[in-house]
């Protein structure tokens, strides 16, 4: 049996030559059934690439508090609350000193300060640094905070010297975690046992996409992402590990079990969703993805000039839901939405079949209180057998609970 099945581990990798061992460590943890999210400091990326760690963990790697590319905030509080254990391996002398002093200047120190789970630290440094009274007093201080220290090994060091300070081998770290750490606290284990989706991984897409025309203009839509955010929160409430791929909206989820990956365009949403789907048990695609995108975004702002017309050439975006439907495995639940203005049931049924869904959630823009920018929604669910389940007008939170209950029934 996988000894870490369903456990959520934040692995923090700091700048040490031993960072190359993190790749094997991630593999071992994943093989034992853990879900691993990797954080790395900038100096760690001198020793191992984020691409290697994201490929092995199946999740995006976080290196900064602010994602400059997406213009978004990587919430350290969410990660700190999500994890059953925070493993810092390798932990450099510098990071250990920062932990001891409560310094918060990167994503790892921020997550450390907000973590409510056990923290396990595997130091790695040269012998002289390890033996220095400053490091030793920092280690004593970390122990007094309740952090667990995996003993360093003895042997050849990166400096060429032989002595103490080597990071424990990945196999030893794995063994330590299995043996010593109550990977989830007894309270959270008890809480999770009752939850119907614990151990399940879910992917949700939500919000609009923006398709760039030039550096200042885009084609977008009125979606706020509210419905998808409510679904992501409800799935997490039922114990699932949720990744929400969220288009540009000012709203954000407020649940520790939801990790948000921000995207802007349909292509970015496609890339994120197709990568995450391989490991997902449940996928709910509620995003209002642009169906067309400018053939080529202008690199400079388009000037008005003297023409009375501007023709934009648009090309079709990739259909994310249909692509996931093509690669769906047995046991995976795939849910889509249909927003229709006429022939609602007929069109929804067509989409259900064409995109190989388990069920489709139909919204009609004709219904009062349904669709974009409302706090309520009026849905009809159509399942694979084309059975129709009508629901009343409800708040988006209540609708999310209905949809998640439907998923739970389909899984059982
Ligand atoms: N969808 C998607 N990728 C796209 C377009 C749509 O994943 N490029 C998903 C939406 O998230 C939704 C479902 O497909 O779950 C249906 O979207 P909708 O816009 O209603 O349907 P389309 O397939 O785009 O068809 P049409 O615009 O002709 O109604």
């Amino acid at each position: 049996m996988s000894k870490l099945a369903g456990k959520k581990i934040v692995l923090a990798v700091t700048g040490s030559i031993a960072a190359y061992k993190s790749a094997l460590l991630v593999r071992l943890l994943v093989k034992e059934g853990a879900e691993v999210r990797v954080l790395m400091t900038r100096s760690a990326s001198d020793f191992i690439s984020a691409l290697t760690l994201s490929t092995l963990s199946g999740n995006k790697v976080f290196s900064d508090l602010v994602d400059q590319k997406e213009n978004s905030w990587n919430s350290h509080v969410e990660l700190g609350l999500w994890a059953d254990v925070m493993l810092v391996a390798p932990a450099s002398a510098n990071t250990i000193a920062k932990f001891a002093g409560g310094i918060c200047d990167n994503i790892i120190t921020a997550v450390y300060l907000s973590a409510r789970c056990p923290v396990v630290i595997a130091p790695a440094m040269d012998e002289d640094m390890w033996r220095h009274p400053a490091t030793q007093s920092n280690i004593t201080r970390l122990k007094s905070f309740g952090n667990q220290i995996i003993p360093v090994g003895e042997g050849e060091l990166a400096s060429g010297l032989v002595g103490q300070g080597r990071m424990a081998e990945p196999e030893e770290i794995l063994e330590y975690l299995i043996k010593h750490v109550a990977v989830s606290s007894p309270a959270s284990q008890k809480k999770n046992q009752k939850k119907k989706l614990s151990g399940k991984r879910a992917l949700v897409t939500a919000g609009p996409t923006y398709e760039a025309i030039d550096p200042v203009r885009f084609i977008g839509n009125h979606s706020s992402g509210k419905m998808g955010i409510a679904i992501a929160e409800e799935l997490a409430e039922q114990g699932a590990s949720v990744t929400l791929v969220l288009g540009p909206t000012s709203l954000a989820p407020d649940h520790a079990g939801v990790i948000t990956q921000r995207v802007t365009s349909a292509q970015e949403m496609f890339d994120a969703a197709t990568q995450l789907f391989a490991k997902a048990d449940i996928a709910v695609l509620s995003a209002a993805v642009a169906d067309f995108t400018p053939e080529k975004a202008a690199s400079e702002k388009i000037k008005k000039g003297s023409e009375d017309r501007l023709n934009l050439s648009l090309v079709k975006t990739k259909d994310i839901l249909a692509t996931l439907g093509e690669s769906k495995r047995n046991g995976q639940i795939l849910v889509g939405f249909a927003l229709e203005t006429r022939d609602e049931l007929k069109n929804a049924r067509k989409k259900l079949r064409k995109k190989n869904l388990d069920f489709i959630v139909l919204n009609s823009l004709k219904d009062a209180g349904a669709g974009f920018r409302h706090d309520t929604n009026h849905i009809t669910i159509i399942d694979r057998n084309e059975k129709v389940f009508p629901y009343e007008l409800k708040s988006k939170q209540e609708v999310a609970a209905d949809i998640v209950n439907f998923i739970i029934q389909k899984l059982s």
Side-chain angles (χ1 to χ4, degrees):
M1 205 192 94
S2 308
K3 298 194 177 100
L4 296 174
K7 303 303 177 205
K8 297 166 184 164
I9 298 177
V10 162
L11 171 64
V13 181
T14 73
S16 151
I17 182 78
Y20 79 91
K21 295 184 184 174
S22 316
L24 178 56
L25 184 54
V26 172
R27 265 196 65 202
L28 293 173
L29 295 171
V30 169
K31 235 167 124 189
E32 285 299 338
E35 180 167 359
V36 183
R37 300 209 188 242
V38 180
L39 312 177
M40 58 199 291
T41 56
R42 291 213 177 159
S43 50
S45 57
D46 292 335
F47 300 99
I48 186 155
S49 85
L51 183 62
T52 304
L53 298 176
S54 76
T55 308
L56 291 172
S57 65
N59 285 311
K60 186 176 166 183
V61 168
F62 297 97
S63 318
D64 288 302
L65 276 168
V66 175
D67 188 333
Q68 301 290 358
K69 203 175 125 231
E70 309 293 355
N71 250 336
S72 64
W73 169 250
N74 293 323
S75 175
H76 53 91
V77 178
E78 275 173 20
L79 278 163
L81 293 176
W82 170 83
D84 291 316
V85 65
M86 179 179 187
L87 171 63
V88 191
S92 64
N94 190 34
T95 294
I96 288 172
K98 287 181 188 175
F99 285 174
I103 290 171
C104 177
D105 65 349
N106 62 32
I107 186 133
I108 290 180
T109 46
V111 172
Y112 172 76
L113 287 178
S114 25
R116 296 208 189 144
C117 57
V119 179
V120 178
I121 294 169
M125 64 200 80
D126 268 336
E127 182 167 32
D128 292 333
M129 291 168 87
W130 174 248
R131 288 198 185 282
H132 196 284
T135 305
Q136 287 307 310
S137 92
N138 287 334
I139 291 284
T140 308
R141 203 163 153 75
L142 295 189
K143 285 184 180 162
S144 77
F145 298 158
N147 300 161
Q148 302 182 43
I149 311 292
I150 302 186
V152 292
E154 208 167 332
E156 223 172 90
L157 299 164
S159 58
L161 299 172
V162 175
Q164 277 192 5
R166 273 168 70 113
M167 184 176 86
E169 293 303 322
E171 291 82 357
E172 292 165 350
I173 296 176
L174 177 73
E175 216 172 286
Y176 183 97
L177 281 187
I178 292 169
K179 236 194 206 158
H180 293 271
V181 181
V183 171
S184 29
S185 65
S188 87
Q189 266 178 1
K190 217 167 152 196
K191 213 167 74 197
N192 275 332
Q193 268 165 12
K194 276 194 241 130
K195 297 192 169 179
K196 299 188 178 113
L197 294 177
S198 59
K200 299 282 181 209
R201 291 184 195 200
L203 154 70
V204 179
T205 67
T209 64
Y210 286 177
E211 309 304 316
I213 297 172
D214 67 14
V216 292
R217 304 178 182 95
F218 58 84
I219 298 173
N221 60 61
H222 292 301
S223 167
S224 63
K226 205 175 261 176
M227 190 65 247
I229 291 172
I231 293 169
E233 289 179 335
E234 182 59 27
L235 286 164
E237 194 51 38
Q238 295 297 336
S241 295
V242 185
T243 303
L244 171 67
V245 179
L246 185 58
T249 164
S250 56
L251 302 181
D254 181 23
H255 194 294
V258 181
I259 300 288
T260 306
Q261 204 166 316
R262 292 269 182 181
V263 293
T264 304
S265 65
Q267 180 63 45
E268 285 171 14
M269 190 172 273
F270 178 90
D271 292 341
T274 46
Q275 200 208 346
L276 289 161
F277 187 59
K279 295 215 166 153
D281 302 294
I282 301 160
V284 182
L285 272 61
S286 68
V289 188
D291 288 329
F292 290 91
T293 189
E295 193 167 15
K296 197 169 180 304
S299 56
E300 303 290 338
K301 185 182 167 205
I302 300 172
K303 303 298 280 179
K304 197 155 56 222
S306 56
E307 298 290 327
D308 285 340
R309 260 171 220 283
L310 170 71
N311 290 319
L312 283 177
S313 171
L314 303 179
V315 291
K316 253 197 187 151
T317 56
K318 293 179 198 152
D319 192 316
I320 307 167
L321 185 57
T323 307
L324 301 193
E326 280 165 20
S327 67
K328 190 158 80 88
R329 297 187 310 268
N330 259 351
Q332 270 182 317
I333 299 277
L334 182 60
V335 182
F337 273 70
L339 181 64
E340 304 294 341
T341 52
R342 66 189 160 104
D343 294 335
E344 289 91 340
L345 277 175
K346 193 173 140 216
N347 283 329
R349 281 198 178 103
K350 218 163 109 192
K351 280 179 196 168
L352 172 84
R353 280 193 302 269
K354 203 170 127 205
K355 303 195 187 189
N356 190 23
L357 310 181
D358 291 279
F359 65 89
I360 194 157
V361 182
L362 166 67
N363 295 142
S364 169
L365 270 190
K366 278 189 197 151
D367 288 338
F372 293 153
R373 290 190 173 163
H374 287 285
D375 288 327
T376 51
N377 203 357
H378 192 179
I379 61 159
T380 303
I381 290 182
I382 304 152
D383 76 4
R384 234 178 142 73
N385 306 321
E386 302 206 1
K387 225 174 140 195
V388 177
F389 301 83
Y391 289 82
E392 285 165 14
L393 180 73
K394 295 182 180 184
S395 73
K396 285 192 170 165
Q397 277 67 30
E398 288 169 314
V399 172
D402 287 339
I403 294 170
V404 172
N405 276 333
F406 212 90
I407 292 173
I408 292 168
Q409 277 174 32
K410 290 281 159 202
L411 279 169
S412 59

